[in-house]
């Protein structure tokens, strides 16, 4: 019996180690990548969601949030999600639309009348239908949409009406909807690495740019621009997307829990972004920028004469469905 005991102890040790490995294997480790700074509300939402998901999964789903483009650039995220080199990401609607064009519906200039219209869209069957279409085509899982902010124009000289944009050297991101905004107003769209924008504005190589006011503030563009024109030509959103492989590794109950946590925390973020926009406007006024309202109808009419949502990839009938939301009671 004595000669057997060491082997028995060894067997117990192996069994214990095997159990530990099995428990460890049951923990799903995920990386959530994004391009925003740690101080941003989007990073805060991701951290909040990660804590809630860890709690509600009894520690079986652990999410590491990786900020500031450390995992890559946003344009690379859909592929990285698909090949499982990251598992969750914030991806802008214009980038998502490169893989599923009907999502460009919400990026069409002046598609939304106001913030209430955006709120209705975020909670609508129309967006749920578009998300389903994206999921089916990409294989990834878009589980929620977050309000990113209204894109406004800043410039070195005053702008008030569509004709003021003629030949204006206007920075816009390299995405179809933003390019359309510039070309429909006869501006000269300029695309360059975002990190170079400040210096290009400072040197006068670019006269104007468009971005949410939070970006104007965080990148200190108020130092090289004098005017803000409140066009709100695009109310931007971000998709929260989970990669195909990561989604498949979750049990159905876990999928439902994760989806609910992400949708709930997205609502918290939406409120914060809207409040932040009002604060940003006051901040920029305090920095000496002239902030002006605009007759959006004049711009909408010009855009509508030059283009259609369908040219950006919107499905027939979707734009009418989107406009009907503006007057709905929900």
């Amino acid at each position: 019996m004595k000669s057997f005991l060491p082997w028995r102890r060894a067997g117990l040790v192996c069994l214990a180690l095997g159990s530990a490995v099995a428990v460890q294997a049951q923990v799903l480790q995920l990386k959530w990548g994004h391009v925003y700074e740690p101080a941003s509300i989007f990073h805060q939402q991701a951290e909040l969601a990660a804590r809630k998901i860890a709690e509600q999964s009894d520690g079986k789903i652990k999410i590491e949030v990786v900020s500031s483009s450390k995992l890559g650039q946003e344009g690379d995220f859909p592929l990285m999600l698909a090949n499982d080199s990251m598992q969750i990401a914030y991806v802008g609607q214009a980038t998502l639309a490169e893989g599923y064009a009907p999502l460009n519906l919400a990026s069409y200039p002046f598609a939304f009348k106001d913030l209430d219209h955006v709120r209705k869209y975020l909670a609508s069957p129309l967006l749920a239908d578009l998300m389903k279409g994206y999921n089916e085509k990409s294989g990834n899982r878009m589980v929620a949409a977050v309000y990113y902010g209204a894109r406004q124009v800043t410039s070195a000289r005053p702008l008030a009406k569509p004709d003021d944009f003629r030949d204006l050297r206007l920075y816009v991101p390299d995405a179809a909807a933003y390019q359309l905004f510039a070309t429909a107003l006869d501006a000269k769209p300029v695309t360059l690495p975002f990190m170079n924008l400040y210096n290009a504005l400072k040197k006068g190589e670019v006269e104007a740019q468009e971005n949410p006011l939070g970006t104007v503030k965080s990148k200190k563009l108020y130092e090289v621009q004098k005017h803000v024109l409140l066009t709100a030509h695009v109310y931007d959103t971000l998709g929260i997307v989970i990669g195909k492989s990561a989604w498949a590794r979750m049990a159905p109950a876990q999928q439902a829990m994760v989806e609910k946590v992400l949708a709930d925390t997205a609502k918290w973020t939406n409120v914060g972004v809207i409040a932040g926009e009002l604060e940003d406007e006051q901040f920029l006024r305090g920095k000496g920028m002239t902030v002006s309202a605009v007759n959006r109808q004049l711009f909408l009419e010009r855009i509508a004469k030059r283009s259609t949502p369908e040219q950006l990839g919107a499905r027939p009938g979707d734009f009418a469905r989107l406009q009907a939301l503006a007057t709905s009671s929900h």
Side-chain angles (χ1 to χ4, degrees):
M1 286 296 290
K2 287 183 180 179
S3 63
F4 175 74
L5 287 174
W7 293 103
R8 185 179 178 191
R9 280 199 297 270
L12 289 171
V13 169
C14 289
L15 184 62
L17 285 173
S19 299
V21 170
V23 169
Q24 191 173 13
Q26 289 173 4
V27 176
L28 189 57
Q29 301 276 359
L30 308 175
K31 286 188 177 180
W32 182 335
H34 65 79
V35 301
Y36 308 105
E37 298 302 317
S40 74
I41 194 168
F42 305 109
H43 184 77
Q44 293 170 27
Q45 183 207 339
E47 292 278 19
L48 173 63
R51 288 195 300 272
K52 287 180 174 290
I53 288 168
E55 291 167 5
Q56 294 185 31
S57 67
D58 295 324
K60 291 182 179 178
I61 302 178
K62 294 186 177 179
I63 299 173
E64 177 190 358
V65 183
V66 185
S67 66
S68 310
S69 304
K70 289 172 187 168
L71 292 181
Q73 297 301 314
E74 186 182 280
D76 301 324
F77 288 176
L79 180 58
M80 294 175 73
L81 289 165
N83 66 24
D84 205 32
S85 53
M86 77 164 58
Q87 290 73 44
I88 310 177
Y90 284 118
V91 189
Q93 64 185 9
T95 301
L96 291 171
E98 291 176 6
Y100 183 64
L103 278 171
N104 258 331
L105 170 72
S107 298
Y108 182 71
F110 302 98
F112 293 101
K113 299 192 183 320
D114 51 30
L115 270 172
D116 189 56
H117 192 184
V118 178
R119 179 185 62 78
K120 291 174 179 176
Y121 170 69
L122 289 174
S124 71
L126 172 58
L127 176 57
D129 188 33
L130 289 168
M131 288 167 60
K132 180 182 177 184
Y134 170 81
N135 294 344
E136 289 173 350
K137 181 164 185 185
S138 70
N140 293 328
R141 179 82 181 188
M142 181 178 172
V143 296
V146 179
Y147 178 55
Y148 178 64
R151 303 185 76 89
Q152 318 284 10
V153 175
T154 70
S155 62
R157 58 181 169 86
L159 302 170
K161 55 189 185 300
D163 288 343
D164 294 339
F165 282 71
R166 185 178 298 278
D167 294 328
L168 180 74
R169 295 190 302 278
L170 174 67
Y171 165 82
V172 289
D174 187 17
Y178 308 138
Q179 297 280 325
L180 171 64
F181 172 70
T183 55
L185 296 174
D186 296 315
K188 293 180 177 177
V190 178
T191 300
L192 45 77
F194 187 64
M195 67 183 70
N196 299 340
L197 178 59
Y198 182 98
N199 283 333
L201 291 167
K202 185 176 182 179
K203 294 175 183 177
E205 297 167 354
V206 179
E207 299 172 278
Q209 67 85 44
E210 58 86 58
N211 259 302
L213 296 184
T215 302
V216 179
K217 176 184 176 181
S218 65
K219 299 301 181 182
K220 298 186 176 181
L221 300 185
Y222 52 82
E223 295 178 347
V224 290
Q225 298 273 267
K226 296 298 181 188
H227 301 271
V228 176
L229 192 65
L230 297 174
T231 52
H233 50 280
V234 174
Y235 284 93
D236 239 339
T237 62
L238 304 174
I240 302 177
V241 186
I242 300 176
K244 178 181 181 179
S245 178
W247 184 252
R249 292 199 295 274
M250 297 180 199
Q254 290 177 323
Q255 290 176 342
M257 179 272 290
V258 167
E259 198 155 13
K260 185 175 188 310
V261 168
L262 294 176
D264 287 347
T265 55
K267 293 174 186 174
W268 172 84
T269 307
N270 294 342
V271 173
V273 173
I274 292 167
E277 286 185 307
L278 297 174
E279 293 169 7
D280 293 338
E281 184 179 328
Q282 293 306 312
F283 174 87
L284 296 174
R285 289 181 191 273
K287 288 294 182 181
M289 295 194 81
T290 301
V291 181
S292 305
V294 62
N295 185 339
R296 295 179 79 243
Q297 186 63 29
L298 293 177
F299 286 85
L300 172 59
E301 289 170 1
R302 178 68 62 89
I303 298 288
K305 283 180 182 177
R306 304 283 182 89
S307 64
T308 66
E310 288 75 20
Q311 286 173 336
L312 281 179
R315 301 176 305 192
D318 273 1
F319 190 70
R321 290 175 69 190
L322 179 59
Q323 296 312 301
L325 289 174
T327 55
S328 71
S329 58
H330 297 292

